[in-house]
Amino acid sequence: MDHIFFEKMLFYGYHGAFPEENKLGQRFQIDLKLFLSLQEAGCTDDLTLTVDYGKVYETVQQIVEGAPFKLVEKLAEEIATRLLSRYPLDEVVVRVTKPDPPIPGYYQSVGVEIRRGKQ
């Protein structure tokens, strides 16, 4: 199926299970795959037949930079739910990455990836 993708959108948010994450905040990287038919938009060159990238970015930005969640799983679910309800998507893949997680040991990043469809 056709899809639109967003890679490495970076935002600063206050999500996390530890109090210092909620107080100090951290960077979050968001990657998306938005599944929908792009054929009609591609044939007609009509923006109304696809998804406005700027509006999708703003939607994700509002969520990540908004009210904090304890879990990145909840953050990913909120992004998926909001995108599926606002845009003509069949399915969405949301990947949330914490580039510098505050956990013992060396990790370049940790995160979650979820795939959700219209119900």
Side-chain angles (χ1 to χ4, degrees), residues 11-111:
F11 304 101
Y12 201 86
Y14 295 86
H15 313 285
F18 301 116
E20 59 270 15
E21 292 177 294
N22 305 136
K23 183 178 178 183
L24 300 174
Q26 61 192 304
R27 291 179 303 133
F28 290 87
Q29 178 182 305
I30 310 296
D31 301 291
L32 303 173
K33 285 187 182 178
L34 311 177
F35 292 88
L36 71 162
S37 175
L38 300 173
Q39 185 173 10
E40 195 173 356
C43 290
T44 63
D45 202 25
D46 184 348
L47 177 61
T48 65
L49 299 174
T50 187
V51 174
D52 184 325
Y53 305 165
K55 289 183 180 180
V56 169
Y57 181 91
E58 288 173 3
T59 299
V60 174
Q61 181 179 30
Q62 289 170 358
I63 297 166
V64 179
E65 294 180 355
F69 301 111
K70 291 179 184 166
L71 303 177
V72 292
E73 291 85 345
K74 174 62 176 171
L75 180 59
E77 287 288 348
E78 185 64 27
I79 292 169
T81 298
R82 191 122 18 126
L83 292 176
L84 287 166
S85 71
R86 289 189 179 180
Y87 304 102
L89 307 175
D90 296 317
E91 192 172 65
V92 63
V93 173
V94 178
R95 183 182 186 116
V96 176
T97 304
K98 289 172 120 175
D100 301 301
I103 53 179
Y106 174 75
Y107 298 85
Q108 183 174 1
S109 62
V110 297

